[in-house]
DNA sequence: CGGAATCCTATCGGATACTG
DNA sequence: CAGTATCCGATAGGATTCCG
């Protein structure tokens, strides 16, 4: 992924009346210039992919390779079977996870990330980095934007 | 439960044990990874910051500079006053937005991102990039991760 | 202009129990 | 082992109405 999300924090001070119609870095294309939450907006797509309690933890486990149902339950003991089942189904419906079943005995099921699922990795890393930044900035004055 | 990665170095992943099976870039965490969703986990912090319908669109508007209440309603016409009020309050409580009021007539109120709020910009960019990637990958499945 | 107060419904997520 | 089936309380968020 070639997005330069990591090193551009310098020019954020462009806060006043914008002479351009919109921020081309933040909103690269017309798809991003929506006036309401649309399911096909890239931001919504990404947000939907990681939405729901336990989802990011589940994705983290699957990033380590294919896992079975009970294996996942052991890795996340406080996650109920119902919710795990819900999450896995949602991830499959969104094409982020695929399942291989062996109907022989004992029944073996493996959940694995698809290519799309693996594409979520940079987002998880960015979520962690941003969360750390927020924790650092919280408390000692938010720091105001430049005064008019 | 502090994370060792709170000492934010340039590289995202660095941890004490190097023989572990999990991904050190993905999980920079210390003695062990969290096994449940905790409010102080950086990923949860970041996710909470952008959670809720309309929130990312609202943040996008505020990235362009301070805005008034009705101004925001015009920019996002389908966002109800109640939800806008809810969002702005939540953002204030999390230290992401601050408000300046002029009680003179007419009442003028401006909502502006704090430093912490501006720190969300890379995350929004990454959400957009990841969403685009997912839209490209959607449909034609994907490869499985390497089996253990 | 800039909100707060209510009300109302859909969905979420946890607990529990049962099945192939 | 790998799930499904129900039930249920708690929010989320939209519509509407009213206020300084």
């Amino acid at each position: 992924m070639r997005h330069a999300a990591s090193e551009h924090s310098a020019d954020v001070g462009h806060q006043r009346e914008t002479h351009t119609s919109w921020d081309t870095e933040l909103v690269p294309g017309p798809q991003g210039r929506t006036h309401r939450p649309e399911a096909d907006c890239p931001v919504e797509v990404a947000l939907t992919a990681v939405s729901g309690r336990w989802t990011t933890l589940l994705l983290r486990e699957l990033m380590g390779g294919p896992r079975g149902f009970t294996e996942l339950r052991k890795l996340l003991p406080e996650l109920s079977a119902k919710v795990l089942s819900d999450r896995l189904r949602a991830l499959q419906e969104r094409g982020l996870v695929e399942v291989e079943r062996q109907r022989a005995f004992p029944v073996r099921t493996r959940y694995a990330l698809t290519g799309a699922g693996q594409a979520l990795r940079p987002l998880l890393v960015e979520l962690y980095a941003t969360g750390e930044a927020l924790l650092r900035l919280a408390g000692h004055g938010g720091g105001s934007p430049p005064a008019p």
Side-chain angles (χ1 to χ4, degrees), chain A residues 39-105:
Chain A
D40 61 329
C41 167
V43 172
E44 295 296 320
V45 170
L47 234 24
T48 298
V50 298
S51 71
R53 201 157 137 90
W54 295 98
T55 300
T56 54
L57 293 177
L58 183 52
L59 287 170
R60 185 195 61 191
E61 301 303 337
L62 292 174
M63 289 283 170
R67 303 277 185 246
F69 191 90
T70 303
E71 189 177 2
L72 289 168
R73 294 214 63 192
K74 285 174 186 166
L75 290 166
L76 302 170
E78 299 180 54
L79 170 56
S80 75
K82 185 257 199 178
V83 174
L84 175 55
S85 192
D86 288 350
R87 292 294 170 271
L88 290 171
R89 190 179 308 111
L91 291 172
Q92 287 175 69
E93 286 169 356
R94 289 161 195 164
L96 304 172
V97 161
E98 60 188 357
V99 54
E100 317 159 13
R101 287 195 174 83
Q102 285 136 32
R103 296 290 297 184
F105 196 82

Side-chain angles (χ1 to χ4, degrees), chain A residues 7 14 17 50 63 78 86 108 114 122 127:
Chain A
E7 68 260 73
H14 187 62
E17 292 291 314
V50 298
M63 289 283 170
E78 299 180 54
D86 288 350
R108 193 70 188 159
T114 63
L127 281 167

